[in-house]
Amino acid sequence: MAQNLVGEYLRARREQVRPADVGITVTSSRRVAGLRRDELAMLAGISTEYYTRLEQGRDRHPSAQVLDAVARALGLDTASAAHLHDLADPAPRRRRAPR
């Protein structure tokens, strides 16, 4: 089974963002550390279902625009956003030359 590096990275970063950091008022107790999936999706301007597919590894080819929107919603710096793009679109593997 292939690793879901994008999903693991998104989950880890989402857990680090407090709702108050992005202007979300918390009125009750929360079961998750950081932002909920629906909150991040709303901030990124994508559907909760699509964000969930990204995190679960069911959509392995997000567009650069979606990755940029998610990176902005998470408050990622340039290097972290570039890392997210690299995880989503790794360099193609080189084929070995036949002998």
Side-chain angles (χ1 to χ4, degrees):
M1 189 163 130
Q3 286 184 305
N4 179 14
L5 298 177
V6 171
E8 292 171 17
Y9 186 73
L10 290 174
R11 232 179 338 275
R13 296 308 296 250
R14 182 170 55 85
E15 290 175 358
Q16 294 175 352
V17 179
R18 294 179 308 179
D21 294 342
V22 293
I24 296 174
T25 304
V26 177
T27 58
S28 62
S29 63
R30 298 173 65 89
R31 293 176 42 190
V32 296
L35 292 177
R36 295 178 179 146
R37 285 180 177 157
D38 62 325
E39 294 167 340
L40 180 59
M42 177 195 64
L43 292 169
I46 59 176
S47 72
T48 303
E49 293 78 18
Y50 183 64
Y51 180 78
T52 300
R53 287 196 316 264
L54 284 176
E55 227 181 65
Q56 292 176 344
R58 293 186 288 140
D59 187 331
R60 296 197 179 262
H61 304 287
S63 69
Q65 293 84 1
V66 167
L67 294 174
D68 289 339
V70 170
R72 277 192 305 276
L74 288 169
L76 300 182
D77 61 19
T78 305
S80 298
H83 182 65
L84 175 59
H85 280 269
D86 290 343
L87 290 174
D89 189 25
R93 292 184 179 183
R94 288 186 158 173
R95 288 188 163 190
R96 295 179 81 176
R99 292 184 179 207

